[in-house]
């Protein structure tokens, strides 16, 4: 075989390998890399042993932002909360403020994921709930296409949160 044929065959082989779907040379993205982005809450249910589901926050909207540096922000609001009668936050009654706070989860902190066990850990640094800073929470995590699923199999009532990826950061 002459040099020209070897070069031609090498070029053909390289082209064929490069065009394979999910090229054999492409590395699979790490779970941490798949998690980075802004996620929009789809559902957050408490699942009983009999399989019945109950929404944790009623009719809610929320977002989870995970950055590549290991920081997160998380907010969920019950959209059925009553509107305040007063004009602003500083003019509300204690009852209005308490009712609004009961339908809101807001926190920020640091996060990590164990690639081998698929366990997501978040450490709360600040939150609406003053008892949460310093708390570490661990959840099983699965990313499938653009869906993120957290679950807590260690509790009697499993909580399953589903989110869809709206934007990668």
């Amino acid at each position: 075989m002459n040099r020209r044929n070897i070069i031609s065959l090498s070029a053909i082989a390289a082209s064929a390998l490069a065009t394979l779907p999910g090229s054999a040379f492409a590395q699979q993205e790490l779970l941490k890399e798949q998690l980075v982005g802004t996620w929009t809450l789809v559902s957050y249910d408490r699942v009983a042993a009999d399989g019945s589901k109950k929404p944790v926050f009623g009719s809610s909207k929320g977002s989870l932002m995970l950055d590549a540096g290991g920081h997160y922000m998380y907010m969920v609001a019950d959209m059925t909360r009553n509107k305040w009668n007063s004009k602003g936050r500083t003019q509300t009654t204690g009852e209005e403020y308490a009712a609004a706070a009961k339908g809101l989860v807001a926190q920020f902190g640091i996060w990590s994921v164990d690639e081998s066990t698929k366990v997501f850990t978040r450490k709360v640094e600040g939150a609406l709930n003053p008892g949460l800073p310093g708390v570490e929470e661990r959840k099983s995590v699965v990313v499938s296409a653009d869906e993120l699923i957290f679950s807590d199999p260690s509790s009697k009532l499993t909580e399953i949160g589903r989110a869809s990826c709206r934007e990668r950061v």
Side-chain angles (χ1 to χ4, degrees):
M1 205 184 259
N2 67 27
R3 189 174 187 196
R4 187 175 189 202
N5 287 342
I6 292 172
I7 292 172
S8 294
L9 286 174
S10 296
I12 292 168
S15 296
L17 285 173
T19 59
L20 286 174
S23 172
F25 295 114
Q27 290 184 344
Q28 187 165 352
E29 196 174 24
L30 294 173
L31 180 57
K32 181 176 181 175
E33 294 166 348
Q34 294 175 51
L35 291 170
V36 171
T38 300
W39 297 87
T40 301
L41 180 69
V42 172
S43 64
Y44 188 16
D45 298 317
R46 195 163 276 141
V47 183
D50 66 3
S52 61
K53 294 180 184 180
K54 180 180 178 185
V56 174
F57 296 112
S59 177
S60 302
K61 289 187 178 181
S63 290
L64 170 64
M65 295 178 178
L66 302 168
D67 78 11
H71 296 90
Y72 80 90
M73 290 180 63
Y74 173 59
M75 186 170 199
V76 177
D78 180 350
M79 302 310 289
T80 62
R81 294 179 299 159
N82 291 331
K83 293 187 181 199
W84 289 339
N85 293 324
S86 53
K87 297 223 181 222
R89 167 178 73 82
T90 59
Q91 300 166 348
T92 62
T93 66
E95 292 80 21
E96 286 177 315
Y97 208 79
K102 284 183 181 178
L104 183 67
V105 174
Q107 59 181 249
F108 64 90
I110 56 174
W111 72 278
S112 62
V113 66
D114 183 320
E115 297 284 338
S116 63
T117 61
K118 310 283 190 250
V119 171
F120 175 89
T121 302
R122 69 175 181 225
K123 183 172 183 181
V124 181
E125 293 181 332
L128 175 67
N129 177 340
L132 285 179
V135 169
E136 271 192 20
E137 187 172 88
R138 289 175 177 76
K139 301 276 187 186
S140 296
V141 63
V142 174
V143 178
S144 171
D146 283 341
E147 183 178 49
L148 170 65
I149 303 169
F150 285 111
S151 60
D152 186 359
S154 64
S155 68
K156 289 182 182 178
L157 293 174
T158 300
E159 292 182 353
I160 299 176
R162 293 181 182 273
S164 63
C165 188
R166 179 176 53 168
E167 172 185 345
R168 293 281 180 164
V169 290

